[in-house]
């Protein structure tokens, strides 16, 4: 492989963000998440950043052309010269095509595969602290005292609306709908790397690194 121009794909709960952070550290390239990028553009007060801020402040989705412009600006910064890991973008086939049109050809698209059942198990067991935002898992990472937040001591952990079974099914359906054409797009370009995502996070990181070294 000639470089590390990469992107992460995977359903909610697959651990994309965690893996992207670890890979960024391991490979010494920036982890470029959509949320961080928008905040960065806002902070640097670029024209596109101001435009994005207007949508965000109004509680609206930032339109494709603005997001794409911000990604282009971000990838032109010096720290991205040796590569980058995109996380949360592109999300749709038109966004992927726009990225290609900008002259950005990805070299590896890491698709972390986790079954729908496992996603439901992972997200369905989530407990959140309404006071400080800490997140626990009923089985994988329970609080040390039942129903009490380890971080802030608040009593009363909750299942967020987003993590209720019906909402999880909807999130998965929209993920599959948007992602299938994206997977096909990158498969045709020969850069798709399917990674079994049901192992522990350390094994998944190692598998990705092994694959990249091939
Ligand atoms: Zn808390």
């Amino acid at each position: 492989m000639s470089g590390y121009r990469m992107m992460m794909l995977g359903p909610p709960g697959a651990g994309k963000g965690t893996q992207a952070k670890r890979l960024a550290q391991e490979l010494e390239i920036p982890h470029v998440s959509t949320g961080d990028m928008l905040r960065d553009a806002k902070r640097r007060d670029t024209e596109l950043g101001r435009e994005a801020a207007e949508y965000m402040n109004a509680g609206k989705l930032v339109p494709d052309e603005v997001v794409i412009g911000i990604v282009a600006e971000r990838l032109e910064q010096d720290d991205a010269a040796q590569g980058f890991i995109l996380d949360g973008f592109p999300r749709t086939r038109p966004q992927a095509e726009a990225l290609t049109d900008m002259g950005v050809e990805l070299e590896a698209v890491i698709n972390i595969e986790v079954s729908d059942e496992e996603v439901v198990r992972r997200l369905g067991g989530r407990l959140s602290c309404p006071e400080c935002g800490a997140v626990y898992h009923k089985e994988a990472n329970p609080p040390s005292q039942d129903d009490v937040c380890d971080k802030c001591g608040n009593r009363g952990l909750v299942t967020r609306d987003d993590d209720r079974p019906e909402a999880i099914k909807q999130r998965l359906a929209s993920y599959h709908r948007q992602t299938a054409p994206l997977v096909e797009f990158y498969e045709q370009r020969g850069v798709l790397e399917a990674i079994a995502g049901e192992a522990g996070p350390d094994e998944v990181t190692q598998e990705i690194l092994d694959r990249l070294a091939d």
Side-chain angles (χ1 to χ4, degrees):
M1 234 176 78
S2 55
Y4 294 114
R5 295 151 79 87
M6 311 182 352
M7 127 183 221
M8 306 297 294
L9 267 182
K16 283 193 301 285
T18 305
Q19 294 299 333
K21 280 195 195 85
R22 290 172 173 219
L23 292 169
Q25 199 166 14
E26 193 71 32
L27 303 170
E28 299 181 349
I29 52 178
H31 169 206
V32 177
S33 83
T34 319
D36 291 348
M37 253 180 313
L38 291 169
R39 277 187 292 275
D40 180 63
K42 235 171 116 172
R43 189 179 50 75
R44 291 188 299 121
D45 200 30
T46 67
E47 198 177 311
L48 285 165
R50 280 196 294 275
E51 211 176 323
E54 278 175 31
Y55 288 98
M56 287 188 283
N57 294 341
K60 289 183 187 156
L61 221 66
V62 183
D64 266 10
E65 63 267 26
V66 178
V67 178
I68 290 161
I70 287 173
V71 173
E73 278 185 347
R74 177 64 187 89
L75 298 185
E76 276 164 16
Q77 289 177 46
D78 290 347
D79 67 338
Q82 301 307 315
F84 48 78
I85 302 174
L86 287 172
D87 174 12
F89 181 91
R91 215 178 265 282
T92 62
R93 183 155 176 152
Q95 288 183 348
E97 284 164 357
L99 195 65
T100 306
D101 291 345
M102 271 159 32
V104 180
E105 285 289 352
L106 298 179
E107 291 157 303
V109 173
I110 309 292
N111 190 20
I112 304 183
E113 297 185 331
V114 175
S115 69
D116 286 5
E117 293 72 28
E118 175 68 7
V119 170
V120 171
R121 202 185 63 77
R122 288 185 185 181
L123 300 185
R126 272 189 185 173
L127 291 170
S128 307
C129 172
E131 288 301 317
C132 75
V135 179
Y136 302 89
H137 191 279
K138 284 173 195 164
E139 292 148 35
N141 175 31
S144 41
Q145 211 187 325
D146 228 21
D147 206 33
V148 177
C149 178
D150 288 342
K151 284 205 179 128
C152 74
N154 169 56
R155 179 173 291 276
L157 300 176
V158 300
T159 301
R160 290 187 323 166
D161 286 345
D162 243 19
D163 293 332
R164 294 189 188 285
E166 271 319 302
I168 296 171
K169 279 181 200 147
Q170 279 180 15
R171 286 164 74 187
L172 272 169
S174 90
Y175 174 76
H176 290 307
R177 201 169 45 239
Q178 287 191 333
T179 309
L182 208 54
V183 165
E184 192 188 324
F185 180 80
Y186 287 117
E187 207 160 31
Q188 282 165 357
R189 287 178 146 65
V191 294
L192 194 74
E193 297 284 352
I195 301 286
E198 301 201 4
D202 293 345
E203 281 111 310
V204 173
T205 307
Q206 196 52 53
E207 174 65 20
I208 298 171
L209 289 171
D210 289 350
R211 202 71 74 79
L212 292 173
D214 273 351

